[in-house]
Structures are given as structure tokens and as C-alpha cells.
């Protein structure tokens, strides 16, 4: 909200106000007084010493940040009568002497106050002190730089003893009196907060589900030797890496979207069990040349927290939860990739689109208000974006809520004509503010219900896929992983129009027959489906080539063989609010393995079996080691530690079987599938690194504590480890960690260089 004259308070800093300079008025030497007006036409004075305000130009428009309010006639006792009366009616709770009230107001420069009084200016005005910042506004560059802090600190109202100088915050007087002096401070856990492909023009476009639009985070972690997160491999993301024959053989097409169906009967290569499948093909009646995205009101939310400053191909935390220190960067930082990706995204906006930018770390900051692209100097904005740096904690909810507030002005727009969308660029590791999954998810869901949709763009190997997966299944949402800024720019060139244009909502399919749905692949909403009903929250347009659609199918595994024909009843909501439905009968002709009605269903079955095998492996190995270091400095549940790959012989054998199956399928229908066989080969051949130490997991975690706390003492370690005496610590150090520590000249415990390296690498 834009501040006005009514928001100016004597002795208080005003976060920001926009003013137009009307002219300079008479003032004594060394002081400058300018008559100005705010955005509502209210006139007042901006004052300051010459060297702070002499850059102001007549008829110029400026944003003043942290200007100090001043009222020449201010009187503390008149402004705070109740507080002074309260002070006079109580004695100091510690020494019994008199109390006085000290208002929390900053004193303006005396020369400025005298100048205002001499010129007869009354009421509230603004002083430009050393803490203030002036930004001249242009009609085309409305970027707001993020300051190093949230502004100068204004003193707090307090009661003070005239004798012992006890200071009591204004709202704490009764508690101090009850305690007979300073109350015992509650323990604060200081570790809890951290600063921490071209389509034929004659074709129609296809459709694909929302949710994940790739599995690059999974692939990259495997490539770097790390264990991916359990949700890094989603079948909708995997399907979007491929083009599918959707089985479209229908002539009558009246609605924007329509489904098609294909069936298969096939034996599983691992179990030899006969399985029955059905694909739902996702088709549209929109021609490639006819498609045009809606006008876009877009707010980009950029994570500028400390973890974004780490290298793109490394984890911000090692396996013990300690921050990594990187001496020689091996790749661009996540921050560099994010700013380049955002700058590239803005090149796809049209003059009638609107753009706003929010930056967030521990705090949120509106760097660019929402305004028309055609009235903005976009080259200047892209330059500002590239200059953004990382630092601080990660208050994701604050950035999200601010973006929603910026778009709320447009939420009554016609959804068929205007898309309101937030694009979030982040590594998904919130650690301050509201960090609970339910809270963040509820915020995104509530925004979606108001027509404000969200795209999440994940940055870095250590992006948290669990949070990304839960958020991207919401109505209107999708999720992309940035493999590199260059690769993402190419992806934007290919399909930006599609990623910001949801077309269908709440697709439901009901099977009317004697079988039900056993499993669903290719949909982020598989957990919302049960029995005989499948539900998908959102469909986006998707590119087509040679009659095949990227990610254009959802695969259903049935719980048995249908003994009679099935009626498939589909219903959905189109972008203009129209509710459509469709009913098709599918034959129950008994087929024997290996029967595939189309190449699309064969490819989908192959990928589903591949993904299920890998997901079972991830679930198994992630459950093997659930140790949580006692003194890990991490404060948030979403901050990911690095873990080395672990492959058991049981899964090596399964991988070999699935690899052979994929090779056979690739030879029959799509050679692109061989990239999955190659990934399996990486896992099959992977050998666990042999540690260069014989420390137990407990000893390694305790060594990590020593490194983190150093310089430390036996007593501090005893408290951290839950040990009763310092002598027990000494005995443990000598028996388990003797080669990894030494004492300095103050007899404090210090880790050796070998210990620091061991904690950093885990080897």
C-alpha cells in the first residue's frame, strides 16, 4: 500500500512514500526545505541538510525510503498522557525509586526543526537523515532496490527508573512488577533461526497434466552420485520427457478438450504377472496456429536466501547437516541461474502483460510493483534482476503472500481472457516464517480458488522435491527444474506460452464396469483417485509432432481383466467455466500378452514399470538410514542434506531385468527410451565409496558437532551429547576421536584439518 501524509508520525521512520517536488522554499543556511505533494495531492515539506537533499529536482518524482517524521510542535506529554500518568503512579520494581516514561521517538536534527518553526510550518513533515534513501522515479523503470536491512531501528517506548536506570518495555510494566524486577528470560534456541519441438501448423495442440514437467533433478542427482529425494521421480514428469500416440481416432469433437482411450495386456518382467492397462489420451480441438495465450498478469517471486548463493551442482548442506564451504566454485550459483532464468522469462512478455517482482529471504521485498510491460523499461528491469545477490534465511510464505496481495487487484478478471500467475524461482527450502507443508499448501490452494495460479521453478541439485511435488499438484500449478540457465532459456523459447496457460480443470473419469483402478501413472493427483474414479486437477496445452503429444497420456492399471465392455464417463471444466462430459464404451475383448493397442500405451507401460522400480528402491534405501544429528544447525524440515548413492544387490538384479526390458521396447517403438537404460547402467555399475576412516555413525555425527561448535569445551560437548560429566567426554574423545582434535593455547577443543575434511565430505 502506498503511504501518504497521514502515515507520517513524529520521531518514526516511514518505510517509503512517493512525492512530487513542487519547489524549494526559503530556509536558513545549511538547511533545505522543499514543498512536495504525495500521491493523493496532500502538500507537506521535505527537509534536510543541504548535502542530503540538494539532488532533488523541481517537478521530479521520488521515492523516499526511511524518511523521519517531524512535527515542530510535538510535545511528548501531550502525545502520551496515559503513559506518563502510569509512570507517575508506579515505583521501580527493583529499587523503589521513581519511574519516568521515555517515548520511542527519534530526535530530528535541531537545525531542521528550528528551520520549520521559523518558516511557520505546522503539522507533520519528513526529514531526510543519513538513514534515508532517495530514488528518482521514471515512468519506465519502477524497480525498488532491496536494502541491506529493513530500515533504521526506531527506539521503543519504555519506562525507566530515575535512579537504577532499569529499562522496562512499554507493554511489560505489569510483568516486571509481578516479578519484583527483571523477569527470568525464556530460553531461546539460537540455532532455530538461520541467516542463513516445432509442430506441423495443420495439427492441433495436445494437452498434458500439471505437476512436474521433468525429472531433471532426479537425473542430475544420479549423475553426481547423490541419492535423489523420494519425490524427485514423478511419472507425470517422466512422461513429459516423451511424445505419445494418444489413440485419437474420433471424428466428432465439439469441446475444447476431449479424451481418447487405448488398452493393453502385458506381463510384468519382474513378476510375470499379467496386467491390464488403459490410457487416457489428452487431446484438444485447438489448432497450432489458432492457439494464443491469454493476457498475463505475472508476479515473479525470487528466492534470494543464503542457500541460493551455493553452487548449482552441489548441496548447501552435507550429510551431517553442516553448511558446505566451497573454496573453488565448480559451477554457476543457483542465484546466477535463477536471475538469468527470470531475465529470460521476461523477454516472452507482451506489451499488454503486467509484471511485478518480489524478492524474499528472511523478509519479503516488492522490488517491482505490478505494471504494464509496454510502459516499463524492460532492459533496465532485466539489469536490476541480474544484480540481485543472495543472503539470509528463507521465508517462502512471506514471498508467496506478498505476490498474492499484488495480484489480488486483478482476481476479478475474466479467466478466459486473463491469466493471473505467480512464477516462483526457489530451491524449496523454507526455514523461517510459516514453513509447515499444510500451511504453504493451503496458501497456494486458497490463491488458486481465487484464480491466481502458480508455477514453481526449482533451482539446484538440493531443491526439495517433496515440497515441490505437494505444491505442483494444486489447481493451475506446475513445476519445472532448472538444469541450467541456458537449457531453461531454450525451454522458454519452446513452450512459455503453454506453461502459463491452463485450459482444463477438474478432469474426472469414472469406470462403469466390473473392474476398478489399481494404480495411476502420469498424473500428479493419483492420490485423489480411488476405486473406479480418476481425478486430475489441471490440463495445460502441450506440443505435438508427427501426431504425438508431449506427455499426452495418463496410464491406468486395472485391478483385473474386464469380463464385459466398460463405459468410460469423463467430465471436466473448461477455462471459460463450461462443464463438459463425454461417455465412451471400450470393448472387453480378451487379448493375450503382449497386446498393445497403440505405441503410446506400450511406451507408457514401460516408463511406469521403470519408474515404479526406481521409486521402490528410493523408498527402501531412504528408510535404511534415519539418523538425525543432534546438533545439526539446520532449522527447517525442507533443507536437504546430501546423501551418497546406495545400491543393494537385490536392486542391481531388478535394474538389470528392467534395463533389458527397456532396451527391447526402445528397439520396437522409441530409441529415446535408451536414456533410461543408460541411467540404470549407471546405478548397476555404481560402487559405494569406501570411507577413509573407521568411525561409527555416532562418532561421525559427534565429530560434526565438534567442528560446528569449535572452539569448544568438554562441558559444552557434554550438554550437546547428553553426557553427564566432562570426564566422560574426555574418555570418549581419547578412545574414539583422538586423531581428529587438539587443544589450543586456551585449552579449548579444536578439530584438525582432517576432521574438517571428513565432516565436509563424509569420507
Amino acid at each position: 500500500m502506498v503511504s501518504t501524509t497521514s502515515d507520517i508520525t513524529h520521531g518514526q521512520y516511514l518505510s517509503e512514500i512517493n512525492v512530487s517536488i513542487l519547489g524549494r522554499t526559503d530556509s536558513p543556511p545549511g538547511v533545505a526545505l522543499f514543498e512536495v505533494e504525495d500521491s493523493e495531492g496532500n502538500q507537506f515539506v521535505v527537509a534536510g541538510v543541504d548535502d542530503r537533499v540538494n539532488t532533488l529536482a523541481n517537478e521530479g518524482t521520488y521515492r523516499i525510503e526511511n524518511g523521519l517524521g517531524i512535527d515542530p510542535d510535538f510535545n511528548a506529554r501531550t502525545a502520551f498522557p496515559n503513559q506518563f500518568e502510569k509512570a507517575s503512579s508506579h515505583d521501580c520494581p527493583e529499587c523503589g525509586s521513581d519511574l519516568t516514561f521515555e517515548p520511542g521517538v527519534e530526535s530530528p536534527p535541531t537545525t531542521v526543526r528550528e528551520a520549520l518553526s521559523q518558516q511557520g510550518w505546522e503539522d507533520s513533515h519528513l526529514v531526510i537523515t543519513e538513514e534515508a534513501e532517495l530514488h528518482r522515479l521514471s515512468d519506465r523503470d519502477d524497480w525498488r532496490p532491496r536494502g541491506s536491512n529493513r530500515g533504521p531501528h526506531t527506539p521503543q517506548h519504555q519506562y525507566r527508573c530515575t535512579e537504577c536506570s532499569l529499562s522496562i518495555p512499554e507493554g511489560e510494566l505489569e510483568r516486571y512488577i509481578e516479578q519484583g524486577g527483571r523477569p527470568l528470560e525464556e530460553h531461546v534456541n539460537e540455532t532455530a533461526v538461520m541467516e542463513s519441438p516445432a509442430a506441423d501448423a495443420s495439427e492441433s495442440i495436445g494437452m498434458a497434466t500439471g505437476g512436474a514437467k521433468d525429472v531433471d533433478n532426479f537425473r542430475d542427482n544420479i549423475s553426481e552420485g547423490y541419492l535423489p529425494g523420494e519425490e524427485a521421480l514423478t511419472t507425470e514428469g517422466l512422461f513429459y520427457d516423451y511424445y505419445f500416440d494418444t489413440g485419437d481416432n474420433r471424428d466428432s469433437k465439439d469441446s475444447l478438450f476431449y479424451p481418447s482411450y487405448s488398452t493393453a495386456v502385458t506381463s510384468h518382467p519382474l513378476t510375470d504377472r499379467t496386467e491390464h492397462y488403459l490410457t487416457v489420451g489428452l487431446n484438444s480441438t485447438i489448432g497450432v496456429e489458432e492457439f494464443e495465450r491469454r493476457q498475463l498478469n505475472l508476479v515473479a517471486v525470487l528466492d534470494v536466501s543464503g542457500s541460493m548463493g551455493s553452487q548449482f551442482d552441489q548441496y548447501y548442506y552435507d550429510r551431517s547437516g553442516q553448511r558446505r564451504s566451497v573454496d573453488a566454485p565448480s559451477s554457476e550459483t543457483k542465484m546466477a541461474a535463477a536471475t538469468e532464468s527470470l531475465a529470460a522469462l521476461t523477454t516472452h512478455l507482451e506489451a499488454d502483460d503486467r509484471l511485478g517482482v518480489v524478492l524474499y529471504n528472511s523478509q519479503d521485498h516488492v522490488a517491482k510493483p505490478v505494471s504494464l510491460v509496454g510502459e516499463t523499461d524492460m532492459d533496465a528491469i532485466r539489469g536490476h534482476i541480474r544484480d540481485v545477490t543472495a543472503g539470509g534465511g528463507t521465508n517462502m510464505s512471506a514471498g508467496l503472500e506478498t505476490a498474492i496481495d499484488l495480484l489480488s487487484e486483478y482476481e476479478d478478471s475474466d479467466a478466459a481472457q486473463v491469466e493471473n500467475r505467480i512464477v516462483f524461482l526457489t530451491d524449496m527450502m523454507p526455514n523461517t516464517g510459516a514453513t509447515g507443508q499444510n500451511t504453504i499448501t493451503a496458501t497456494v490452494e486458497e490463491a488458486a480458488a481465487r484464480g491466481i495460479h502458480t508455477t514453481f521453478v526449482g533451482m539446484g541439485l538440493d531443491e526439495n522435491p517433496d515440497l515441490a511435488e505437494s505444491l505442483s499438484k494444486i489447481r493451475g500449478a506446475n513445476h519445472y527444474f532448472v538444469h541450467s540457465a541456458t537449457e531453461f532459456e531454450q525451454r522458454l523459447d519452446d513452450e512459455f506460452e503453454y506453461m502459463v496457460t491452463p485450459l482444463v480443470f477438474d478432469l474426472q473419469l469414472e469406470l462403469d464396469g466390473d473392474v476398478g483402478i489399481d494404480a495411476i501413472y502420469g498424473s500428479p493427483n493419483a492420490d485423489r483417485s480411488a476405486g473406479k474414479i480418476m481425478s486430475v486437477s489441471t490440463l495445460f496445452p502441450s506440443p505435438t509432432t508427427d501426431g504425438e503429444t508431449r506427455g499426452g497420456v495418463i496410464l491406468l492399471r486395472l485391478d483385473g481383466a474386464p469380463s464385459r465392455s466398460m463405459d468410460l464417463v469423463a467430465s471436466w471444466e473448461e477455462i471459460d467455466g463450461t462443464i463438459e462430459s463425454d461417455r465412451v464404451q471400450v470393448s472387453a475383448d480378451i487379448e493375450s500378452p503382449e497386446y498393445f493397442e497403440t505405441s503410446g500405451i506400450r511406451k507408457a507401460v514401460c516408463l511406469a514399470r521403470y519408474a515404479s522400480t526406481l521409486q521402490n528402491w528410493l523408498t527402501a534405501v531412504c528408510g535404511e538410514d534415519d539418523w538425525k544429528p543432534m546438533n545439526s544447525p539446520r532449522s527447517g524440515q525442507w533443507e536437504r542434506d546430501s546423501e551418497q548413492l546406495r545400491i543393494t544387490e537385490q536392486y542391481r538384479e531388478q535394474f538389470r531385468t528392467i534395463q533389458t526390458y527397456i532396451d527391447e521396447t526402445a528397439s520396437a517403438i522409441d530409441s529415446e527410451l535408451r536414456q533410461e537404460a543408460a541411467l540404470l547402467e549407471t546405478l548397476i555399475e555404481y560402487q559405494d565409496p569406501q570411507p577413509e576412516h573407521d568411525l561409527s555413525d555416532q562418532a561421525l555425527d559427534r565429530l560434526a558437532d565438534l567442528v560446528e561448535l569449535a572452539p569448544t569445551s568438554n562441558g559444552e560437548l557434554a550438554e550437546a551429547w547428553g553426557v553427564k560429566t566432562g570426564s566422560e567426554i574426555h574418555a570418549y574423545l581419547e578412545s574414539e576421536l583422538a586423531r581428529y582434535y587438539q587443544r589450543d593455547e586456551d585449552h579449548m577443543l579444536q578439530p584438525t584439518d582432517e576432521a574438517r575434511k571428513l565432516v565436509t565430505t563424509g569420507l
Side-chain angles (χ1 to χ4, degrees):
M1 181 180 293
V2 178
S3 297
T4 63
T5 311
S6 61
D7 298 306
I8 299 176
T9 303
H10 178 82
Q12 304 291 310
Y13 291 100
L14 185 64
S15 60
E16 65 177 65
I17 188 172
N18 293 347
V19 301
S20 298
I21 307 299
L22 301 179
R24 186 162 182 167
T25 187
D26 293 337
S27 58
V31 176
L33 303 178
F34 287 85
E35 291 187 63
V36 303
E37 67 177 14
D38 63 18
S39 57
E40 295 184 350
N42 304 308
Q43 296 185 8
F44 62 104
V45 170
V46 167
V49 294
D50 278 343
D51 61 351
R52 286 295 291 150
V53 296
N54 58 16
T55 59
L56 296 177
N58 285 344
E59 300 184 359
T61 301
Y62 293 84
R63 182 174 69 254
I64 302 174
E65 297 179 3
N66 303 320
L68 181 63
I70 181 173
D71 180 349
D73 298 323
F74 174 79
N75 180 283
R77 289 190 174 272
T78 302
F80 302 98
N82 295 335
Q83 289 86 340
F84 277 97
E85 182 179 350
K86 195 171 188 177
S88 64
S89 62
H90 291 87
D91 295 330
C92 172
E94 286 204 347
C95 72
S97 300
D98 293 337
L99 288 179
T100 187
F101 177 70
E102 294 185 355
V105 295
E106 193 71 65
S107 298
T110 302
T111 55
V112 172
R113 185 167 184 169
E114 291 175 349
L116 286 169
S117 296
Q118 291 172 9
Q119 300 300 319
W121 290 100
E122 299 177 349
D123 300 320
S124 295
H125 306 282
L126 212 59
V127 180
I128 308 302
T129 66
E130 291 296 327
E131 289 79 9
E133 294 185 18
L134 300 174
H135 301 280
R136 185 162 188 173
L137 303 178
S138 82
D139 292 335
R140 299 180 61 82
D141 182 1
D142 54 357
W143 186 263
R144 302 178 179 187
R146 177 170 59 101
S148 59
N149 52 53
R150 299 293 290 179
H153 173 70
T154 301
Q156 300 299 305
H157 300 322
Q158 62 181 353
Y159 298 94
R160 184 180 292 277
C161 177
T162 57
E163 291 295 327
C164 71
S165 298
L166 172 67
S167 297
I168 305 173
E170 181 186 10
E172 296 287 295
L173 181 58
E174 285 75 11
R175 191 160 73 100
Y176 273 64
I177 292 172
E178 288 177 5
Q179 296 285 337
R182 293 179 177 86
L184 294 175
E185 296 298 329
E186 296 179 358
H187 174 69
V188 177
N189 181 359
E190 295 182 354
T191 65
V193 178
M194 295 175 50
E195 284 299 323
S196 313
D200 186 328
S202 65
E203 288 189 308
S204 296
I205 61 172
M207 291 198 183
T209 68
K213 309 303 281 187
D214 56 61
V215 291
D216 287 349
N217 181 266
F218 175 82
R219 298 189 193 282
D220 287 357
N221 270 275
I222 296 292
S223 176
E224 296 293 333
Y226 294 118
L227 191 66
E230 290 188 63
E231 300 297 339
L233 179 59
T234 64
T235 51
E236 76 270 12
L238 182 61
F239 281 16
Y240 203 70
D241 277 350
Y242 294 89
Y243 283 76
F244 294 85
D245 175 357
T246 64
D248 178 15
N249 57 4
R250 302 177 62 184
D251 297 324
S252 177
K253 310 157 186 171
D254 300 323
S255 55
L256 181 151
F257 161 77
Y258 63 97
S260 56
Y261 306 97
S262 302
T263 60
V265 182
T266 171
S267 295
H268 197 292
L270 290 176
T271 66
D272 289 330
R273 188 180 74 175
T274 298
E275 297 176 329
H276 296 259
Y277 289 93
L278 173 74
T279 51
V280 182
L282 309 174
N283 312 287
S284 87
T285 57
I286 305 173
V288 172
E289 291 189 337
E290 298 172 13
F291 174 77
E292 184 176 344
R293 73 163 171 84
R294 303 186 287 280
Q295 178 187 338
L296 188 61
N297 296 326
L298 186 147
V299 173
V301 182
L302 182 58
D303 182 348
V304 297
S305 62
S307 62
M308 291 289 287
S310 63
Q311 267 54 58
F312 192 89
D313 62 356
Q314 294 189 4
Y315 275 69
Y316 188 52
Y317 296 98
D318 64 23
R319 68 183 297 274
S320 297
Q322 309 293 331
R323 288 186 183 178
R324 289 185 182 276
S325 58
V326 181
D327 298 325
S330 59
S331 70
E332 67 179 340
T333 64
K334 289 184 281 187
M335 192 77 258
T339 54
E340 284 300 325
S341 296
L342 177 53
L345 184 150
T346 65
T347 65
H348 294 271
L349 300 177
E350 303 293 341
D352 62 348
D353 294 328
R354 292 183 175 88
L355 173 68
V357 180
V358 174
L359 311 179
Y360 76 93
N361 49 23
S362 302
Q363 310 276 347
D364 61 281
H365 168 72
V366 178
K368 183 193 180 309
V370 177
S371 60
L372 286 168
V373 169
E375 299 176 359
T376 302
D377 183 345
M378 293 305 296
D379 287 336
I381 296 301
R382 284 187 277 274
H384 295 313
I385 290 170
R386 292 185 177 101
D387 288 339
V388 172
T389 57
T394 313
N395 193 339
M396 184 176 180
S397 60
L400 177 61
E401 289 167 2
T402 299
I404 294 169
D405 287 344
L406 290 177
L407 286 173
S408 62
E409 178 181 348
Y410 310 102
E411 66 181 270
D412 292 331
S413 303
D414 182 355
Q417 302 297 323
V418 179
E419 170 72 7
N420 296 321
R421 181 161 291 270
I422 298 167
V423 175
F424 231 105
L425 296 97
T426 176
D427 56 10
M428 291 279 184
M429 293 194 286
N431 58 27
T432 62
T435 62
Q437 177 173 327
N438 291 342
T439 302
I440 298 174
T441 300
T443 302
V444 177
E445 287 176 337
E446 290 166 6
R450 295 161 54 187
I452 299 172
H453 305 133
T454 309
T455 293
F456 295 94
V457 182
M459 315 299 302
L461 276 184
D462 54 355
E463 179 221 21
N464 193 297
D466 297 345
L467 183 57
E469 188 271 341
S470 69
L471 294 173
S472 62
K473 66 175 64 176
I474 294 168
R475 179 184 173 104
N478 50 19
H479 169 238
Y480 296 78
F481 175 74
V482 172
H483 181 81
S484 71
T486 302
E487 179 269 341
F488 190 64
E489 287 179 35
Q490 182 61 52
R491 190 158 195 179
L492 288 169
D493 290 342
D494 291 341
E495 55 184 275
F496 174 75
E497 312 282 310
Y498 294 164
M499 74 164 56
V500 297
T501 313
L503 293 177
V504 172
F505 299 107
D506 298 326
L507 169 63
Q508 290 205 356
L509 177 71
E510 182 173 0
L511 276 62
D512 186 358
D514 58 357
V515 294
I517 301 171
D518 188 40
I520 300 176
Y521 308 94
S523 166
N525 307 111
D527 58 346
R528 287 174 43 184
S529 308
K532 297 188 177 187
I533 297 177
M534 178 200 78
S535 179
V536 179
S537 65
T538 315
L539 298 182
F540 287 81
S542 185
T544 57
T545 183
D546 297 329
E548 297 187 333
T549 300
R550 184 172 187 179
V553 298
I554 301 170
L555 178 69
L556 312 182
R557 189 178 72 214
L558 306 178
D559 60 9
S563 62
R564 56 183 174 85
S565 296
M566 292 184 295
D567 280 355
L568 305 177
V569 184
S571 63
W572 61 91
E573 176 190 345
E574 300 195 342
I575 188 62
D576 62 359
T578 302
I579 304 299
E580 298 283 351
S581 63
D582 178 81
R583 189 181 190 100
V584 172
Q585 189 172 81
V586 176
S587 171
D589 294 340
I590 302 300
E591 303 287 350
S592 59
E594 296 291 304
Y595 168 76
F596 301 96
E597 187 173 351
T598 64
S599 65
I601 193 169
R602 183 171 182 179
K603 189 185 301 183
V605 170
C606 178
L607 290 169
R609 288 168 169 171
Y610 162 77
S612 294
T613 303
L614 288 168
Q615 288 165 341
N616 290 339
W617 159 67
L618 281 175
T619 300
V621 296
C622 289
E624 290 174 353
D625 183 2
D626 57 358
W627 179 264
K628 298 182 183 300
M630 179 177 179
N631 242 22
S632 169
R634 296 183 298 120
S635 64
Q637 69 184 100
W638 304 115
E639 296 162 324
R640 293 188 60 213
D641 306 339
S642 63
E643 289 190 65
Q644 294 292 326
L645 282 174
R646 298 193 299 277
I647 316 294
T648 64
E649 283 306 313
Q650 171 194 355
Y651 280 101
R652 284 188 212 277
E653 288 305 313
Q654 292 188 21
F655 293 163
R656 290 187 181 98
T657 302
I658 295 297
Q659 182 185 45
T660 301
Y661 166 62
I662 291 175
D663 279 330
E664 292 172 351
T665 309
S667 298
I669 60 171
D670 188 352
S671 61
E672 290 294 320
L673 289 167
R674 290 201 169 92
Q675 68 174 321
E676 314 307 342
L679 186 146
L680 289 173
E681 184 67 21
T682 299
L683 296 177
I684 292 167
E685 296 297 323
Y686 181 79
Q687 298 296 322
D688 294 339
Q690 297 302 310
E692 300 174 2
H693 64 83
D694 58 358
L695 296 180
S696 65
D697 287 345
Q698 182 195 60
L700 189 59
D701 286 319
R702 286 185 168 185
L703 182 61
D705 290 338
L706 192 153
V707 170
E708 174 66 19
L709 294 172
T712 187
S713 63
N714 288 2
E716 188 175 25
L717 288 179
E719 182 178 352
W721 297 350
V723 176
K724 292 183 178 180
T725 66
S727 60
E728 292 180 69
I729 294 295
H730 176 74
Y732 185 89
L733 291 173
E734 286 298 302
S735 63
E736 302 291 335
L737 301 175
R739 59 185 279 196
Y740 298 109
Y741 80 95
Q742 56 196 8
R743 292 190 182 272
D744 60 21
E745 59 186 10
D746 297 320
H747 302 290
M748 300 294 286
L749 295 166
Q750 296 278 9
T752 63
D753 290 342
E754 183 181 4
R756 294 182 186 278
K757 178 181 177 182
L758 180 57
V759 168
T760 300
T761 64
L763 299 177

